[in-house]
Amino acid sequence: MTREETSKYTDLLPDGRARQFVFEMDAKSVITRPSPGHKLTTHGYYAVSGLAWSGRGRIRRVDVSADGGHTWREARLTGPVRDRALTRFEADWHWDGGPAVLQSRAVDETGYVQPTREALVAVRGVNSYYHYNGIQSWRVGADGELRNA
Amino acid sequence: MLKRSICASAFGVTVFYAAHACAAGYGIGTPVTESALAAWNIDVAPNGHGLPAGSGDVAHGKDVFAAKCAMCHGAQGQGGIGDTLVGGRGTLASAKPLKTIGSYWPYATTLFDYIRRAMPYNAPESLSADDIYAVSAYLLYLNGVVPQSTRLDAKTLPQVKMPNRNGFVPDPRPGTL
């Protein structure tokens, strides 16, 4: 057994035990535009875009939220949708100039829904990061700056 | 015929390329020879399968470690720029778990596999089998897993009982987080 199998394909749980082996990455997604480093300079329309993928098949759907997960809208899958491959998504968003939290939530063809960070941490703790796939939040400030929330 | 027999008998990484080349019939590449394959076929199983002849003890391992490893991993396997190799027992359930050979690894044979294929970082696969057995023994000694008098070889390395051997559970996914 190699070191990678020992240390990377095992995930440590809060009770000190570790899952062995952990290979598949469950459905995951991230908004790449806008994202930290970007600054929104005008109010109004933005095409929010990003990437989704799953180690268990094709991406079926991606939802996007601008209010931290309270409400969701289905995004368009804009490129090829292939088995276990990066899949482009895009969603329309109108920034009214106020604080916002952008999130994306992927669903794969098995029906698996990308979990919130809180749900994932509740089960796996904070030291199981190699297969971490929690919903990522980008906080938009009133100044238009994006930060990792 | 030669190509077909290679396709049917190749295993591991090579089967992917061999099967593609054969199935598609691109007419490129050359069949891999057994001797060429052997240079890559160096994995060591938990039961010791794949371990070569040779042996090494803690005392020699200390010298090899000082000469080849300590500059990155620290004199005692701690505090260097490289991964911490020693300590961490009892920390896995804490807020800051320290995963080391002694605190985390389930099998001692992984030491041989990894040191041989990847260490020293600037010269992988440069250590002799005797040196690798010796460094493995030294690191297990520093972790309090084996006594100072230990000498390891292909038979005894797989028999080392690692402290966290029973610290693993199967992956319950899919169906749960």
Side-chain angles (χ1 to χ4, degrees), chain B residues 27-46:
Chain B
I28 56 171
T30 52
V32 65
T33 64
E34 287 298 323
S35 59
L37 188 59
W40 293 91
N41 188 17
I42 60 170
D43 62 297
V44 175

Side-chain angles (χ1 to χ4, degrees), chain A residues 96-110:
Chain A
D96 62 10
V101 176
L102 294 173
Q103 297 182 336
S104 63
R105 179 178 68 185
V107 181
D108 70 18
E109 65 179 327
T110 72

Side-chain angles (χ1 to χ4, degrees), chain A residues 66-104:
Chain A
D67 56 10
H70 294 291
T71 60
W72 296 91
R73 291 176 64 182
E74 186 168 347
R76 299 179 293 278
L77 303 185
T78 55
V81 181
R82 302 247 158 85
D83 188 8
R84 289 163 290 176
L86 293 174
T87 303
R88 273 275 172 212
F89 65 85
E90 187 177 275
D92 301 325
W93 175 49
H94 183 93
W95 185 45
D96 62 10
V101 176
L102 294 173
Q103 297 182 336
S104 63

